[in-house]
Amino acid sequence: MASTAQRICSLLPSATEIVYALGLGDRLVAVTHECDYPSAASAHPAVTSAGFNPASMSNRDIHNHVTANVHSGSSIYTLDRPLLEELNPDLILTQELCDVCAVSYDTVQDAVRHLHGDNTVLSLEPTSLSAILDTITQVGGATGTEEQAARVVVELQARIAAVEERTKAASERPRVFTMEWMDPPFAGGHWVPEMVRLAGGTAGIVPEGQPSREVTWDEITAFDPEYIIVMPCGYHLDALELEFRLTPFPAAWGDLKAVRRGQVYAVDATAYFSRPGPRAVDGLEVLAEILHPELFPRQKPLDAWRPLELRDCVQ
């Protein structure tokens, strides 16, 4: 793998965040249409686009659209191949982990065959917090910034360890349902159950490292979570709250212990949970503040998380 990449194309918002964390923003020549952090990322040309407008669709409509495309073998994202060829990056950061998170890996590989020169495709595949940190090391190795990558990783490891150490004093480890989609309900997977455990909770439905999956209301009822963290993939906090108010929930929702106790919270999923980048550690700290405020006085901004208003959400 080349270690002196000078022209980087990021096909993942999380990879874009890593590039900036390594001080390589000036080497980016292209990003995705979803790369919104840091704000400077939006100044780069976007080589992807979506074939639909999720802002105008309900949770159920988005799910149906994505499912239909995946089942038909179609991608929900388009890659601007002429622009990619014009920019001709020597390092392309992408992924194979999720069929609905980015342009398909096969599409990227096919496009790279039409580029000129020595082009490297680096696929980032984290399924845990430690693996997220490994991707920072990988990008550092591909760009000749190993020392900076090591510094970033050490800092993030220290923050993770600090949360884990403090939660040892927790008197209980409540059951937590991380709702990665609302209609139909999905339970968060991959690194999210691990984040719950480190933050002093018990996830229970999806094992650590396993993909998110659709769950039934019978499963949710049997688990009877004491906390519900609503974190639909791709939603910032304000958009999440609006969609939550519009989503019909079955009668079983009102019987859940978390709902009866008012322990249902919205988080900025896009910033802190959906993207496997450096801010996943902020997500861990968000969970700790929610689950154990007696140990973690709030420090995160108001747009990171807040309790949800639970009136009128049962169909």
Side-chain angles (χ1 to χ4, degrees), residues 214-231:
E214 184 175 349
V215 293
T216 66
W217 281 103
D218 284 345
E219 287 180 277
I220 299 170
T221 299
F223 183 56
D224 196 16
E226 296 163 272
Y227 285 77
I228 296 174
I229 313 297
V230 185
M231 52 173 67

Side-chain angles (χ1 to χ4, degrees), residues 145-156:
T145 56
E146 293 90 347
E147 291 186 4
Q148 174 63 11
R151 286 192 292 269
V152 171
V153 168
V154 166
E155 178 185 338
L156 294 174

Side-chain angles (χ1 to χ4, degrees), residues 32 90 148 240 303:
T32 79
D90 50 39
Q148 174 63 11
L240 185 161
D303 61 358

Side-chain angles (χ1 to χ4, degrees), residues 87-99:
L87 296 171
N88 198 37
D90 50 39
L91 175 65
I92 298 175
L93 303 175
T94 187
Q95 62 95 46
E96 301 173 74
L97 189 66
C98 176
D99 290 335

Side-chain angles (χ1 to χ4, degrees), residues 142-187:
T143 56
T145 56
E146 293 90 347
E147 291 186 4
Q148 174 63 11
R151 286 192 292 269
V152 171
V153 168
V154 166
E155 178 185 338
L156 294 174
Q157 285 173 330
R159 289 169 59 191
I160 293 170
V163 171
E164 186 174 19
E165 178 62 28
R166 197 180 301 181
T167 56
K168 290 180 180 178
S171 59
E172 59 180 356
R173 303 185 70 87
R175 296 184 304 278
V176 181
F177 175 48
T178 53
M179 182 175 274
E180 195 177 87
W181 204 250
M182 291 179 280
D183 187 20
F186 273 67

Side-chain angles (χ1 to χ4, degrees), residues 219-275:
E219 287 180 277
I220 299 170
T221 299
F223 183 56
D224 196 16
E226 296 163 272
Y227 285 77
I228 296 174
I229 313 297
V230 185
M231 52 173 67
C233 183
Y235 280 77
H236 289 293
L237 195 58
D238 288 343
L240 185 161
E241 286 189 296
L242 175 60
E243 185 61 29
F244 180 82
R245 290 195 295 270
L246 297 175
T247 298
F249 292 105
W253 167 266
D255 294 329
L256 298 175
K257 184 172 292 185
V259 177
R260 296 199 314 270
R261 294 181 174 180
Q263 300 282 25
V264 181
Y265 297 86
V267 296
D268 187 332
T270 294
Y272 306 120
F273 295 93
S274 306
R275 299 175 177 178

